[in-house]
Amino acid sequence: MKKLTEYTFPQDLKNMSIKDMELLSYQIREFLVDKVSKTGGHLASNLGVVELTVALHRVFDTPEDKLIWDVGHQTYVHKILTGRADEFTTLRQFGGMSGFPKVKESPYDVFDTGHSSTSISIAAGIAAARDLAGEKHHVAAIIGDGSLTGGIAYEALNNVGDSHSDMIVILNDNGMSIEPNTGSMPAHLSKLRSSEKYADFKKKLKNTVGRIPAVGDAAVNGLIHIRDTVKYAMLEGALFESLGFKYFGPIDGHNIEELTETLEMVKDLSGPVLVHVVTQKGKGYKNAENNPSKFHGTGPFDPSTGAALGKSKGESYSAVFGNKLSEMAETNDKIVAISAAMLDGTGLGGFAKKYPDRTFDVGIAEGHAVTFAAGMATKGFRPVFAVYSTFLQRGYDQIVEDVCLQNLPVIFGIDRAGIVGADGETHHGIFDISYLNHIPNMTILAPADADELEMMMEYAMTLDGPCSIRYPRGVVHKLNMTSEINGSLTLKEGTDVEIWSVGTMLETSLNVAEKLNEKGISAGVVNARILKPLDINELKKSAERTKLIVTVEDNVISGGFGQEAAAVLSDDDVRILNLGWPDTFIEHGTTAELYDKFGLDADSITERICDYIEKQT
Ligand SMILES: Cc1ncc(C[n+]2csc(CCOP(=O)(O)OP(=O)(O)O)c2C)c(N)n1
């Protein structure tokens, strides 16, 4: 048998028998487990779409036909089948292949994705442009049931159903988001999946397909007939029909024959089509089948046992946040926790178990979560929305209009703030200070270590308005930041330079100060702590004490803490150097590699400060 790297994909798929494609699927699964066990990555979702991806590349003529993968974390099989098998040793590594679709990586990647629920909108836009340009090609969006809990997907369904545009939505339904899916749509899909008609559909499809020639009107009509019979026998299936889609399914997403036959027949139907495909997350690898959430996104692991390798060396910020919230909720029954499909990821798993009635997982619906929290706050509750920095971007307007304008006491636990590592461009949390800083009434806090995070959570509860606490991915720092929160904290004064450090950049900033002092430059360090409202008094005092203020933050420079500080000091004759992420999208890599490349590790910062001082003298 050929190695995966020896095929010419996708062309070689075109002549394969069903048996060959089944064997290929087996081979792909082995390959995925082997490779991802070494690099880490999104394993379970990819194992679930092996046959579906094989069938899609068999039936559609990519790259002319466009496949748009929602989120894009499940595109490893697509990457294997579009000539990238030999790049898997570099998956998610610095300078290596991305874990998400990247247009610059391959002509088969149509759109850069990473945030969920956008695929139907993208496909609809491409289909509209195709029609305007008078082109002929197919467009298919592949969206998971988890991603179908996101509002944008509904805006797209509403629009597409009415547009009569020729496009296909493949609903990859595995009953799971990262965790088990929640909401009424998933409940509806679950009914469809378990319907007896599911089996019937497969049988009828098989019989009919056996009787009709390859593709053509007869096949299409045959399929529509089956669909109608099933649909009317099972009214639930009519939901998508009433939205303007021709609904087919549910079909077995691990049966290549059924998949290819169905796709062949629907691909030339006119108007929007929805094919409901049932898959199993983690399929074919027992450890992932048994624990799909753990293998949704995994670090390196031992493939024989599934056990994680190189375990992290301590408690994460997410865990500290979740535990502290549980503890605070014991004495404050107004505290409620909100999550947008990320309970475990944000450390709220324990809270959810302890206080199920006070936990609200609203689905992948960050905008809704923000306004939902605002609604609860009007009734005297203390909603805490724990959310990754990058995903809170989805809730910007709601933060402005529904929370801050009304000065409601919603707390945002902004997890994964700063650079996140291997997920790369779409996932780095480096914009939140900028997108929150200019909103009136918002308080922004940035802890430098675990103690400070806990104290800031207590502090946030004492405020009458909205408050954001931003903390990074990964293991906590222990810097003994235990003094009361009431502004910035000057740790060490310096006559040549004082570094205003934001959040967990403190450890690096202290290192820098030490290195500068060794070089004979008198350097001090201030832990900024409360980013908004900015501690203007202390900042001005600091500026008087020293010749240069340096700000260091794990956020883009543009609109960040440093620029705010510079604006405050603009009337004073003060030199200020702002360090943070530049005005560009930052690729994937370890945080250490990225800090190094962009000059934000201790050595680089020291050098940059020395250069600056040298140029000024
Ligand atoms: C806006 C946004 N919020 C949260 C996430 C994190 N996230 C990545 S995949 C995923 C679950 C997606 O579930 P589904 O679409 O069913 O795909 P599956 O992994 O089950 O195949 C979530 C919540 C995201 N990518 N984008």
Side-chain angles (χ1 to χ4, degrees):
M1 201 167 178
K2 273 195 206 175
K3 283 191 187 151
L4 287 181
T5 45
E6 290 165 3
Y7 285 96
T8 307
F9 285 135
Q11 292 84 337
D12 282 356
L13 281 175
K14 306 291 175 190
N15 302 317
M16 280 189 179
S17 65
I18 296 291
K19 192 96 220 118
D20 285 347
M21 287 192 284
E22 283 168 359
L23 285 173
L24 176 70
S25 301
Y26 184 83
Q27 201 181 357
I28 290 174
R29 285 204 167 86
E30 275 198 325
F31 180 90
L32 285 173
V33 173
D34 176 50
K35 297 295 176 197
V36 177
S37 71
K38 297 188 173 89
T39 58
H42 289 98
L43 183 61
S45 312
N46 281 287
L47 291 172
V49 295
V50 175
E51 289 85 2
L52 175 60
T53 314
V54 169
L56 283 165
H57 278 289
R58 158 69 169 242
V59 171
F60 290 97
D61 292 321
T62 55
E64 286 73 32
D65 289 342
K66 309 297 174 199
L67 301 179
I68 296 103
W69 299 89
D70 209 280
V71 184
H73 62 307
Q74 76 294 54
T75 48
Y76 297 2
V77 189
H78 161 81
K79 292 194 183 213
I80 293 169
L81 295 178
T82 53
R84 283 171 275 179
D86 54 3
E87 290 174 49
F88 269 78
T89 45
T90 73
L91 177 69
R92 292 160 57 88
Q93 314 294 306
F94 185 57
M97 183 168 71
S98 169
F100 291 91
K102 291 280 172 226
V103 173
K104 63 172 188 260
E105 198 178 283
S106 165
Y108 292 89
D109 291 3
V110 178
F111 207 90
D112 290 8
T113 50
H115 286 200
S116 85
S117 319
T118 59
S119 60
I120 307 174
S121 302
I122 299 163
I126 291 174
R130 170 202 61 197
D131 296 345
L132 264 187
E135 292 172 4
K136 296 257 172 280
H137 61 77
H138 298 99
V139 184
I142 304 99
I143 183 165
D145 55 304
S147 298
L148 198 61
T149 62
I152 299 166
Y154 291 91
E155 295 172 26
L157 287 175
N158 176 56
N159 178 225
V160 170
D162 193 41
S163 73
H164 309 295
S165 190
D166 294 348
M167 59 170 273
I168 300 170
V169 174
I170 312 276
L171 172 56
N172 168 31
D173 180 9
N174 57 23
M176 296 285 297
S177 196
I178 293 180
E179 295 144 30
N181 211 355
T182 58
S184 55
M185 175 57 92
H188 171 72
L189 295 178
S190 152
K191 256 194 248 158
L192 290 183
R193 279 200 307 270
S194 57
S195 161
E196 284 173 27
K197 297 293 168 193
Y198 172 27
D200 264 20
F201 179 81
K202 290 196 292 183
K203 218 166 87 202
K204 283 185 184 168
L205 180 71
K206 259 207 145 90
N207 290 343
T208 315
V209 163
R211 275 187 273 111
I212 53 183
V215 201
D217 286 352
V220 169
N221 289 338
L223 194 72
I224 286 181
H225 172 71
I226 299 163
R227 173 182 69 96
D228 287 350
T229 321
V230 175
K231 182 190 77 182
Y232 290 120
M234 183 180 57
L235 278 175
E236 297 99 317
L239 172 72
F240 294 107
E241 295 271 338
S242 61
L243 287 170
F245 283 76
K246 294 187 181 79
Y247 170 87
F248 293 91
I251 65 170
D252 179 351
H254 300 301
N255 182 330
I256 293 203
E257 191 171 7
E258 211 167 287
L259 283 167
T260 49
E261 282 162 356
T262 308
L263 292 173
E264 275 300 350
M265 287 193 280
V266 302
K267 78 174 187 182
D268 290 318
L269 287 180
S270 59
V273 167
L274 188 137
V275 184
H276 183 180
V277 176
V278 178
T279 60
Q280 184 185 8
K281 201 159 176 167
K283 175 81 176 173
Y285 177 53
K286 272 281 161 275
N287 293 311
E289 284 182 2
N290 295 340
N291 197 345
S293 300
K294 178 179 163 207
F295 285 93
H296 175 88
T298 175
F301 62 93
D302 175 349
S304 57
T305 62
L309 297 174
K311 271 217 157 259
S312 74
K313 292 154 234 91
E315 205 178 17
S316 67
Y317 279 98
S318 311
V320 170
F321 180 87
N323 293 340
K324 179 68 182 175
L325 196 66
S326 289
E327 181 198 308
M328 288 162 72
E330 280 169 19
T331 50
N332 183 348
D333 62 7
K334 293 294 179 202
I335 291 178
V336 290
I338 297 166
S339 171
M342 306 287 290
L343 279 171
D344 285 336
T346 56
L348 289 180
F351 186 102
K353 279 206 187 76
K354 197 164 165 192
Y355 306 104
D357 296 345
R358 290 157 69 182
T359 306
F360 300 87
D361 180 351
V362 300
I364 311 179
E366 291 81 5
H368 163 62
V370 173
T371 304
F372 177 90
M376 289 202 86
T378 64
K379 298 284 287 176
F381 281 88
R382 297 304 311 246
V384 178
F385 178 25
V387 55
Y388 290 8
S389 167
T390 187
F391 302 140
L392 187 57
Q393 288 164 198
R394 284 271 166 95
Y396 175 73
D397 179 68
Q398 289 82 353
I399 296 173
V400 176
E401 300 289 315
D402 303 333
V403 175
C404 291
L405 176 64
Q406 301 169 72
N407 203 20
L408 291 167
V410 174
I411 295 176
F412 297 94
I414 306 185
D415 202 327
R416 298 337 191 240
I419 218 81
V420 295
D423 280 337
E425 288 171 303
T426 51
H427 282 63
H428 293 316
I430 54 177
F431 302 112
D432 58 89
I433 299 179
S434 309
Y435 70 68
L436 296 172
N437 222 355
H438 53 255
I439 311 177
N441 292 333
M442 177 63 86
T443 296
I444 309 175
L445 311 174
D449 73 355
D451 290 330
E452 215 165 69
L453 172 56
E454 291 187 346
M455 282 163 42
M456 285 180 175
M457 291 172 70
E458 300 270 7
Y459 177 80
M461 281 293 166
T462 67
L463 302 175
D464 285 333
C467 181
S468 297
I469 311 175
R470 77 182 306 262
Y471 44 90
R473 178 173 189 272
V475 175
V476 294
H477 301 79
K478 294 269 180 208
L479 297 172
N480 206 21
M481 292 292 122
T482 50
S483 63
E484 200 194 333
I485 310 281
N486 53 15
S488 62
L489 183 66
T490 302
L491 299 171
K492 185 175 187 310
E493 296 185 1
T495 51
D496 292 321
V497 54
E498 282 196 1
I499 302 170
W500 277 64
S501 177
V502 173
T504 50
M505 293 307 283
L506 185 62
E507 192 169 54
T508 303
S509 301
L510 289 166
N511 268 335
V512 170
E514 218 168 277
K515 288 175 192 291
L516 290 171
N517 285 320
E518 278 164 17
K519 290 174 187 287
I521 297 170
S522 161
V525 177
V526 181
N527 176 3
R529 290 184 139 191
I530 302 181
L531 312 186
K532 179 181 163 66
L534 184 59
D535 192 347
I536 296 176
N537 281 342
E538 283 306 315
L539 183 64
K540 292 211 171 212
K541 276 194 222 158
S542 169
E544 278 162 23
R545 286 195 291 266
T546 189
K547 300 189 188 87
L548 171 66
I549 300 277
V550 176
T551 60
V552 179
E553 63 196 302
D554 200 352
N555 189 84
V556 288
I557 294 169
S558 182
F561 172 81
Q563 287 196 342
E564 185 65 23
V568 164
L569 295 174
S570 61
D571 286 346
D572 311 53
D573 186 21
V574 179
R575 286 186 299 157
I576 180 160
L577 171 64
N578 296 147
L579 301 179
W581 297 100
D583 188 19
T584 183
F585 287 103
I586 311 295
E587 70 258 48
H588 58 274
T590 64
T591 47
E593 285 160 340
L594 296 170
Y595 285 139
D596 178 41
K597 171 167 178 182
F598 289 91
L600 290 172
D601 62 316
D603 283 336
S604 308
I605 292 177
T606 308
E607 211 177 298
R608 289 169 80 179
I609 294 174
C610 290
D611 285 354
Y612 186 90
I613 291 173
E614 205 168 291
K615 272 193 206 121
Q616 301 288 311
T617 45

